[in-house]
Amino acid sequence: MKTIRHALLIARKDLALELRTKESLNAAGAFAIVILVLFSFAFEETEQIKEIGGGLLWLVFAFAGALIFNRSFARELPNDCLDTLLASPLSPASLVTGKALANFVMLLAMELISIVIFGIFFNVNWTRHIGELSLVFALGTWGISILGAVFGALTVNLRLRELMLPIIIYPLLVPLLIAAIELTKLLLSNQSMTPNDFLWTKLLIVFDVVFTALAMLLADTILVN
Amino acid sequence: MTSAIELAGVWKFYGDYAAVRDVTLNVEEGSCCALLGRNGAGKTTLLRILAGLSSFERGSAQLFGVSPRQAHAGFLGHGIGVYEDLSARENLHFFARVAEVAQPESIAAEWLERVGLANASDMLVRQFSRGMRQRLALARTFLHTPKILLLDEPFTSLDDRAIAMLSELLVESRRRGATIILSTHQLREAMVIASHVALIENGRLRHAGERTEAMLDDPGLLYRLHA
């Protein structure tokens, strides 16, 4: 209970800071819009776009996400705020979870902007399966967010953290991205889910549960020294 | 008197370099220990170990019988530990809630008043002068009335007003029974407040004991004795 309370406190603080500075959202949003505009010139508005739409969207989310995660723990470096938090009654697990929650909200906001733009530029009606699509986005985004928070913590003190973070997290994100891309492709094509497709949903859930558990278990080791 | 802080045979390495070498130190509950030593002696590393911010390779460290990570001491390091893009009130409110203080809003307001920042409470910290930031950092450190205070060179670059404020806070903390370790190069201020002194050199503890009248009269005495 205390961990959840503290995690919410961290998330609220991070979101307040982000709303004030807009340093992550501006960068991630601008990146996403530019990429989607470029894609709209590169790919024709055909039925084929529904096949590749899932891949395009999740690539944008994953790359724009890195811009958000890089700031996540770096935000704690000025004035040694990270030390202050670690010396406080706040547990490292709640710190990492709180960071993941803030990342999750920011990434979802960026995804909402991206899918609206995607729908307009590629003439795709993504609202038909909005419930299922929301579930896929939520599961996929949580997985990216928790991984981003863990490795954001791990790389926070590295000189080349902006380079290191994507190098480390992208290979680990492959199973999650494949599952999210497959499900998004299916939903954008207006196909109904078969039992085989539920396997992708299960993969997303397992990924989220495993990495959330690992994040909470390893947070102390990662953050202290 | 019971020991509030117990360090036994603590070693800390950075690669092959031993920053802290076999340090054994007991600090009694309610005392104020001035941790002295030249730059690079190992004072900051020792304080970081006590704050639970740094692990160590050998030995044991306990604060009131628990590990440093569980003790949640009030810690003021080299950074002021507040967010530039939050207001003074938001900062104190946030840290009061992190420390699980009852009525965090009224405690934050009380401390803003106390450190003379009530009129600037809604200003962002990035708009503060250096002195205002330091006073806010003091409020952040003391607001949850911690049983143990770990202060790393707290007098450095403070103006007269902030030095007086810090001295008053330290005296008050001792009165309520808090245990304090402060590292400092400001020997005169330290000797006035400290009940005990510890001298660290090249990572080794060279002296630990009560602060004597002779040290109060001649703050540099300890350095000369162990030169």
Side-chain angles (χ1 to χ4, degrees), chain A residues 8-9 24 41 56 97 129 146 166 174-175 214:
Chain A
L8 290 172
L9 204 56
S24 302
F41 284 99
L56 295 183
T97 314
H129 295 281
I146 193 77
V174 167
L214 278 176

Side-chain angles (χ1 to χ4, degrees), chain A residues 57-58 61-62 65 69 100 103-105 107-108 111 132-148 169 172-184 187 200-209 211-212:
Chain A
L57 280 172
W58 282 97
F61 301 162
F69 309 146
N103 290 345
F104 178 76
V105 174
L107 200 50
L108 273 185
E111 288 171 6
E132 293 100 315
L133 207 56
S134 302
L135 179 70
V136 172
F137 275 29
L139 289 172
T141 306
W142 177 256
I144 298 177
S145 302
I146 193 77
L147 214 61
I169 65 168
L172 292 169
L173 281 175
V174 167
L176 175 133
L177 289 175
I178 292 172
I181 287 169
E182 286 296 331
L183 288 168
T184 307
L187 295 168
W200 295 119
T201 316
K202 284 180 192 164
L203 176 62
L204 284 181
I205 294 169
V206 169
F207 188 99
D208 286 1
V209 170
F211 277 99
T212 306

Side-chain angles (χ1 to χ4, degrees), chain A residues 2 5-6 9-10 12-13 17 20-21 76 79-81 83-89 92 220 224-225, chain B residues 12 48 52-55 69 72-73 79-86 90 94-95 97-100 124 140:
Chain A
K2 192 174 159 183
R5 202 168 55 241
H6 277 159
L9 204 56
I10 290 290
R12 207 173 128 187
K13 182 266 297 171
L17 282 170
R20 205 157 280 169
T21 62
E76 305 294 341
N79 297 337
D80 293 343
C81 289
D83 282 352
T84 307
L85 288 179
L86 291 175
S88 76
D220 203 68
V224 180
N225 266 3
Chain B
K12 166 75 187 174
R48 288 182 64 84
L53 297 172
S54 190
S55 61
R69 293 279 313 125
H72 313 312
I80 55 173
V82 291
Y83 296 96
E84 296 277 334
D85 290 302
L86 291 183
E90 287 168 334
F94 170 73
F95 284 108
R97 289 188 70 188
V98 164
E100 310 224 290
L124 297 184
R140 194 266 303 150

